[in-house]
């Protein structure tokens, strides 16, 4: 393994172990550890605003990675990811409120519950694909949304459900500073696990199913099993993300988990890069930061002397919404392979500078 | 003078000036939906808040303290509401917030209670009214949440009470039938059970609810169900375009039912859009209308000039309700200033300092309110109005005023 550079020039891998390593070089491994160590210091430096954005990136990013495993790696489609995210939030609150299970354990358990629900809704995937599957998952979205509003015993119906904070040995993670560590721990664990999954037999089977399902089947891959498993893993991630979201807010209401949220998750992985673990995170960061950046610009314009009028600020509000749409369209045209691909190109550029090959 | 001393003095001077400035102004955040799914009424309400806050700042602020505020259009997206809230708390030292809908208000309940930031929302959900969790039905106590107006549940209860009297006055025989019409969604569902329970108490036969989408569409099938059920009174829990579509569809089908709507479902623009289908449409209001002649309307019209100097623009009653919300907050802040300084916790105490309280200058506009540390049902009085289209000349008249009892089992429900 090369130690000096971030990316070795040429391919020097001489063993399977090297081929399957998570970090390409030791430098990237050290850099990753250093970054996490730095992020651990964030609550001492950043204020609640930045921390809340970071926490949003964590819980949305975990769910986005789940969707990327399903869409990007396995080639299935889901328009119901927002509803699964919501199911995880409600399930975790329900487990704690009804059975008194400590929140720390409720979160993974909620992931498993969501996984089961996801696999039930994903079962048609064994027989249908493409647009047909998209519509089947759309049905999941609507069925679950209706379920959230009706199932008083589970979600509290239209009243919503209280989701107490995460507590370990009596210490409650109630503020942004402390919750940051929970979010960071979950993010790192889930992303490491996601990366690792792609090196395993199951992960490779997912990719094989995506690339050519007939060849995969001929190779002995059980298509039904792996399509269903992919739905399960994807929903597990959505459930974990949703549970974190619920316990961060302290209250879960059925209102937020609409089709728009599902589409937003799709936007995250398309912008970040389909079939890339780090792409899911990059896309999430992009989608969380974009409205904030635009809000900042709108705020600057409003502060100008001619920006005080209501008509002007109302106009800006629409402009902001349209800009978000425009940026997404521009991405699809100019960077269809996502931010992960662009990052790869940036790295290659530095590696090969000043030669362009 | 030594250079270092001079430099030090300058820095100290700058710091003390900025500290003085900080003391001389307080910050209030304002979340608004100007471009999202509830912008239909959200814009009117937000304009009311924005103009009122601007007016207060331009006319002496909070007893001499400047009132800074910022309006953020969060387009009904919870993550953006949370981010704005965090920014205001950590960077602007926000003392109170004017919020908007169910989604953002509920997402922030825990945060605002912890940070001690009173929130004045336009979500009138009954479960925001129990600050201590006294009622066993309350899922989550909301100690820092306030709203100006009757809760959705109380509004619906008042309409049901009116319907019971109406049935008697019309000489109706037997049990009248009551139906809840609305989407299966937290906002329309908020008063569903509470209202059905009370309707049952008053002798109504409660029919199965009819689900009508919040998005406008063709609702003839639902209107036929309403017709088949022979319902006498139907409560519309949706808002805006959906209400218009429903009235039109039911007009085509020929449904003979008395429509009653919630606070967002009845205003002049809706009657204009629905046209001739509107007949004796019943809806609640917490303030007079733009053309009305209450003494406090002079101040409301002055406030309106902040964004419309010509004074010609029509304002809906949602706008006026926004003004009331801002003014209750303003007077609670004044009380706080006189009693230990403008902090969130003191503003909260300020909300409990008076009884039968109407903000100064808004007499006849805002209904007398009573908030206590145990009961956040500020208003338990509901004005009920009747609207008719009459060939484009929209007639709105007050039918009655219902004052509801403060029953313990209704707190937070």
């Amino acid at each position: 393994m090369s130690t000096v550079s971030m990316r070795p020039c040429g391919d020097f891998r001489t063993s399977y172990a090297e081929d399957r390593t998570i970090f390409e070089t030791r430098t990237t491994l050290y850099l990753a550890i250093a970054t996490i160590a730095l992020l651990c210091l964030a609550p001492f430096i950043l204020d609640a605003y930045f921390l809340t954005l970071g926490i949003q990136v964590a819980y949305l990013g975990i769910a986005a990675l789940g969707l990327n495993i399903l869409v990007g790696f396995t080639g299935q489609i889901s328009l119901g990811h927002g509803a699964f995210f919501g199911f995880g939030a409600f399930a975790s609150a329900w487990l704690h409120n009804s059975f008194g299970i400590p929140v720390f354990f409720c979160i993974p358990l909620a992931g498993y519950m969501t996984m089961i629900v996801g696999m039930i809704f994903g079962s048609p995937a064994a027989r249908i694909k493409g647009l047909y599957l998209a519509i089947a998952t759309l049905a999941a979205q609507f069925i679950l949304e209706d379920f959230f509003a009706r199932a008083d015993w589970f979600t509290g119906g239209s009243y919503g459900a209280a989701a107490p904070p995460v507590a370990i040995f009596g210490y409650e993670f109630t503020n942004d500073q402390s919750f940051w560590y929970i979010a960071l721990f979950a993010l790192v664990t889930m992303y490491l696990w996601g990366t690792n999954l792609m090196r395993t037999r199951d992960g490779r089977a997912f990719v094989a199913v995506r690339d050519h399902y007939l060849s995969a089947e001929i190779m002995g891959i059980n298509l039904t099993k792996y399509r269903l498993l992919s739905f399960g893993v994807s929903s597990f991630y959505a459930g974990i993300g949703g549970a974190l979201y619920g316990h961060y807010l302290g209250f879960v209401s059925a209102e937020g988990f609409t089709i728009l949220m599902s589409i937003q998750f799709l936007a995250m992985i398309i912008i970040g890069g389909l079939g890339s673990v780090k792409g899911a995170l990059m896309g999430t960061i992009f989608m969380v930061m974009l409205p904030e950046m635009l809000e900042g610009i709108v705020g600057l314009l409003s502060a100008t002397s001619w920006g005080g009028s209501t008509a002007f600020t109302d106009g800006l509000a629409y402009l902001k919404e349209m800009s978000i749409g425009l940026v997404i369209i521009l991405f699809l045209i100019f960077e269809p392979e996502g931010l992960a691909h662009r990052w790869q190109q940036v790295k290659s550029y530095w590696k090969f500078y000043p030669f362009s090959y | 003078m030594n250079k270092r001393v001079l430099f030090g003095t300058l820095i100290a001077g700058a710091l003390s000036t900025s500290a003085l400035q900080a003391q001389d102004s307080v910050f209030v955040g304002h979340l608004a939906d100007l471009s999202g799914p509830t912008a239909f009424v959200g814009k009117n309400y937000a304009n009311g808040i924005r103009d009122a806050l601007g007016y207060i700042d331009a006319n002496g602020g909070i007893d001499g303290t400047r009132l800074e505020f910022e309006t953020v259009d969060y387009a009904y997206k919870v993550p953006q509401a949370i981010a704005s809230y965090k920014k205001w708390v950590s960077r602007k030292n926000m003392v109170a917030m004017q919020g908007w809908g169910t989604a953002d208000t509920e997402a922030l309940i825990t945060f605002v209670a912890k940070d001690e930031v009173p929130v004045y929302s336009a979500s009138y959900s009954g479960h925001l009214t129990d600050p201590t969790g006294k009622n066993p039905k309350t899922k989550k106590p909301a100690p820092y949440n306030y709203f100006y107006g009757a809760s959705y549940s109380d509004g619906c209860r008042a309409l049901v009470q009116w319907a019971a009297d109406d049935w008697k006055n019309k000489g109706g025989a037997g049990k009248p039938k009551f139906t809840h019409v609305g989407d299966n969604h937290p906002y329309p569902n908020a008063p569903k059970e509470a209202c059905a329970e009370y309707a049952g108490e008053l002798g109504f036969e409660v029919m199965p609810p009819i689900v009508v989408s919040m998005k406008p569409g063709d609702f003839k099938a639902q209107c036929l169900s309403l017709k088949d059920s022979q319902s006498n009174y139907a409560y519309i829990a949706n808002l805006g375009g959906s209400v218009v579509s429903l009235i039109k569809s039911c007009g085509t089908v020929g449904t003979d039912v008395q429509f009653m709507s919630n606070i967002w479902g009845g205003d002049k623009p809706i009657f204009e859009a629905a046209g001739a289908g509107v007949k004796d449409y019943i809806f609640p209001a917490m303030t007079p209308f733009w053309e009305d002649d209450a003494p406090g309307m002079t101040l409301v019209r002055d406030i309106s000039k902040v964004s419309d100097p010509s004074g010609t623009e029509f304002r809906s009653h949602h706008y006026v309700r926004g003004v009331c919300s801002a003014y209750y907050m303003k007077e609670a802040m004044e009380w706080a200033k006189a009693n230990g300084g403008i902090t969130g916790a003191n503003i909260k105490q300020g909300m409990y300092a008076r009884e039968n309280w109407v903000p100064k200058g808004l007499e006849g506009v805002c209904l007398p309110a009573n908030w206590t540390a145990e009961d956040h049902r500020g208003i338990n009085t509901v004005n009920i109005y009747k609207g008719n289209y009459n060939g484009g000349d929209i007639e709105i008249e007050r039918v009655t005023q219902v004052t509801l009892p403060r029953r313990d089992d209704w707190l937070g429900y």
Side-chain angles (χ1 to χ4, degrees):
Chain A
M1 190 188 271
S2 165
T3 47
V4 281
S5 70
M6 282 177 65
R7 196 189 150 100
C9 191
D11 213 338
F12 292 120
R13 294 167 220 197
T14 50
S15 70
Y16 282 119
E18 272 184 27
D19 195 34
R20 295 175 58 191
T21 176
I22 290 183
F23 298 98
E24 271 178 292
T25 64
R26 243 178 224 142
T27 318
T28 48
L29 172 68
Y30 296 149
L31 272 177
I33 293 170
T35 310
I36 293 168
L38 265 180
L39 284 174
C40 284
L41 297 176
F44 302 101
I45 305 157
L46 303 175
D47 61 8
Y49 171 58
F50 279 125
L51 291 179
T52 200
L53 291 180
I55 291 167
Q56 270 179 37
V57 167
Y59 59 68
L60 294 174
I62 289 172
L65 175 58
L67 189 64
N68 213 357
I69 289 172
L70 183 72
V71 181
F73 287 104
T74 322
Q76 309 281 74
I77 182 95
S78 174
L79 291 175
H81 209 65
F84 294 131
F85 184 81
F87 189 89
F90 279 121
S92 190
W94 176 71
L95 285 168
H96 180 81
N97 296 338
S98 303
F99 306 104
I101 302 171
V103 175
F104 193 76
F105 298 110
C106 286
I107 296 174
L109 285 176
Y112 284 113
M113 278 177 72
T114 318
M115 183 175 99
I116 294 166
V117 174
M119 284 169 96
I120 293 170
F121 282 109
S123 57
R127 304 196 193 289
I128 55 176
K129 41 182 192 159
L131 265 182
Y132 299 92
L133 183 60
I135 299 301
T137 53
L138 188 65
Q141 169 76 39
F142 289 120
I143 291 169
L144 283 177
E145 258 188 69
D146 199 58
F147 174 75
F148 294 155
R150 267 177 223 278
D152 274 352
W153 59 274
F154 184 65
T155 64
S158 49
Y159 277 67
V166 182
I168 298 171
F169 301 120
Y171 178 77
E172 288 191 339
F173 294 75
T174 45
N175 55 15
D176 297 284
Q177 280 76 15
S178 56
F179 196 86
W180 169 268
Y181 293 103
I182 296 283
L184 188 63
F185 171 71
L187 184 76
V188 172
T189 313
M190 297 305 279
Y191 268 74
L192 267 181
W193 190 44
T195 315
N196 196 39
L197 179 71
M198 289 310 133
R199 309 187 308 150
T200 62
R201 181 189 163 86
D202 292 339
R204 285 161 179 243
F206 287 160
V207 176
V209 171
R210 174 195 69 188
D211 286 349
H212 203 282
Y213 73 96
L214 200 58
S215 313
E217 202 169 17
I218 291 166
M219 281 163 69
I221 290 170
N222 184 341
L223 286 187
T224 310
K225 180 187 154 190
Y226 280 106
R227 281 178 177 158
L228 209 54
L229 187 68
S230 180
F231 259 97
V233 173
S234 154
S235 312
F236 181 79
Y237 271 84
I240 299 280
L244 284 171
Y245 168 77
H247 292 293
Y248 173 57
L249 293 189
F251 196 83
V252 197
S253 159
E255 240 185 339
F257 314 112
T258 57
I259 177 87
L260 285 176
M261 187 176 227
S262 299
I263 291 170
Q264 208 167 9
F265 280 128
L266 275 174
M268 282 173 194
I269 59 167
I270 291 170
I271 287 174
L274 287 171
S276 159
V277 172
K278 64 171 171 280
L281 190 62
M282 289 169 127
T284 312
I285 293 171
F286 185 85
M287 287 296 279
V288 169
M289 295 309 291
L290 182 64
E292 296 305 315
M293 302 269 281
L294 290 169
E295 188 61 56
I297 296 169
V298 167
L300 285 178
L301 287 175
S302 306
T304 55
S305 56
W306 41 274
S309 77
T310 318
F312 178 75
T313 44
D314 285 0
L316 282 180
Y318 286 102
L319 210 63
K320 195 183 80 182
E321 290 295 305
M322 280 192 282
S323 312
I324 295 175
L326 181 72
V327 169
I328 292 171
I329 293 172
L330 290 178
F331 246 99
L332 295 181
I333 297 172
F334 296 108
E335 197 58 77
E337 286 180 73
L339 289 167
H341 178 68
R342 174 58 54 187
W343 174 239
Q344 214 64 39
Q345 283 181 329
V346 169
K347 282 206 295 188
S348 308
Y349 175 80
W350 286 113
K351 190 82 220 166
F352 300 136
Y353 188 82
F355 308 108
S356 59
Y357 50 82
Chain B
M1 199 187 282
N2 186 323
K3 250 186 201 168
R4 197 179 287 171
V5 175
L6 179 68
F7 191 60
T9 323
L10 278 176
I11 287 192
L15 281 176
S16 61
T17 332
S18 63
L20 273 178
Q21 272 169 353
Q23 273 174 359
D24 265 336
S25 70
V26 282
F27 180 83
V28 169
H30 175 206
L31 284 176
D33 182 6
L34 306 175
S35 55
T38 58
F40 185 79
V41 283
K43 239 175 130 167
N44 297 325
Y45 184 83
N47 284 339
I49 299 275
R50 197 155 45 171
D51 287 357
L53 295 179
Y55 185 87
I56 292 167
D57 186 35
N59 290 275
I62 310 295
D63 279 343
T65 302
R66 279 208 64 193
L67 180 70
E68 274 182 57
F69 70 98
E70 184 183 359
T71 302
V72 163
D73 169 41
Y74 76 112
Y76 214 75
K77 289 177 189 145
V78 174
Q80 276 167 45
I82 298 171
S84 299
Y85 169 82
K86 296 280 176 183
K87 187 160 69 181
W88 289 332
V89 167
S90 57
R91 299 197 178 162
K92 304 231 172 177
N93 201 13
M94 171 165 69
V95 290
M97 192 181 96
Q98 290 284 340
W100 168 240
T102 320
D104 52 300
T105 307
E106 284 183 350
L108 292 171
I109 288 178
T110 320
F111 294 134
V112 301
K114 209 166 52 216
D115 300 331
E116 301 189 330
V117 177
V119 167
Y120 299 77
S121 66
S123 164
Y124 306 111
S125 204
H127 66 293
L128 295 174
T129 57
D130 187 358
T132 57
K134 202 164 61 174
N135 192 335
K137 278 182 184 160
T138 304
K139 289 273 182 335
K140 179 119 194 145
Y144 273 83
N145 286 84
Y146 301 88
F147 54 76
Y148 168 74
S151 70
Y152 291 134
S153 305
D154 278 348
C156 186
R157 286 183 187 117
L159 291 171
V160 171
Q161 205 161 303
W162 170 84
D165 293 339
D166 182 61
W167 183 250
K168 244 181 268 164
N169 294 341
K170 280 184 185 156
K175 273 186 155 189
K177 288 177 176 169
F178 170 82
T179 311
H180 177 280
V181 182
D183 204 348
N184 188 30
H185 183 272
Y187 152 69
N189 278 344
K192 192 153 95 179
E193 278 169 41
C195 197
E197 216 170 78
Y198 191 53
E201 275 182 38
L202 292 179
F204 282 86
E205 186 184 340
V206 180
M207 308 303 289
I210 292 177
V211 176
V212 172
S213 164
M214 284 270 266
K215 295 173 189 80
D218 182 358
F219 300 136
K220 289 196 195 74
Q222 285 89 337
C223 290
L224 278 172
S225 317
L226 201 59
K227 198 178 177 184
D228 287 346
S229 71
Q230 294 179 320
S231 255
N232 307 98
Y233 296 92
Y235 172 78
I236 306 180
N238 288 354
L239 53 80
S242 167
V243 175
V244 175
S245 307
L246 186 75
I247 296 171
K248 284 194 165 170
S249 298
C250 288
T252 320
V253 171
T255 320
D256 183 25
V257 63
Q258 172 65 60
F259 279 123
M260 311 184 290
S261 86
N262 75 3
I263 186 101
W264 300 108
D267 56 24
K268 207 175 163 185
I270 286 183
F271 297 147
E272 272 170 1
V278 178
K279 199 173 162 291
D280 291 346
Y281 185 86
I282 297 291
F283 65 98
M286 299 297 155
T287 59
F289 293 88
W290 188 240
E291 298 87 355
D292 287 352
D293 236 357
M297 284 308 284
T298 325
L299 177 58
V300 177
R301 289 194 189 102
D302 276 352
I303 290 171
S304 168
K305 284 181 189 155
V306 170
S307 62
D308 170 41
S310 66
T312 50
E313 198 171 323
F314 168 82
R315 305 289 192 181
S316 76
H317 61 133
H318 309 311
Y319 178 93
V320 186
R321 213 158 55 247
V323 171
C324 283
S325 175
Y327 266 72
Y328 278 105
M329 180 188 75
K330 172 197 175 234
E331 294 210 342
M333 288 168 97
E334 282 169 356
W335 186 92
K337 188 175 181 185
N339 291 275
I342 310 177
T343 62
N346 286 344
I347 295 171
K348 181 179 165 67
Q349 292 311 314
M351 291 300 288
Y352 309 140
R354 275 158 279 197
E355 278 178 26
N356 290 325
W357 167 27
V358 175
K360 221 173 117 209
L362 289 172
E363 292 80 11
V365 174
C366 311
L367 291 163
N370 288 288
W371 281 277
T372 68
E374 305 260 297
D375 186 347
H376 279 191
R377 287 175 290 192
I379 306 285
N380 58 339
T381 304
V382 182
N383 287 318
I384 295 177
Y385 286 82
K386 184 193 279 181
N388 274 299
Y389 182 71
N390 272 0
D393 179 23
I394 288 156
E395 282 176 9
I396 293 175
E397 53 171 325
R398 200 172 97 162
V399 187
T400 184
Q401 186 178 58
V402 177
T403 301
L404 291 151
R406 285 178 184 272
R407 277 168 49 173
D408 276 351
D409 60 329
W410 285 357
L411 183 66
Y413 179 42

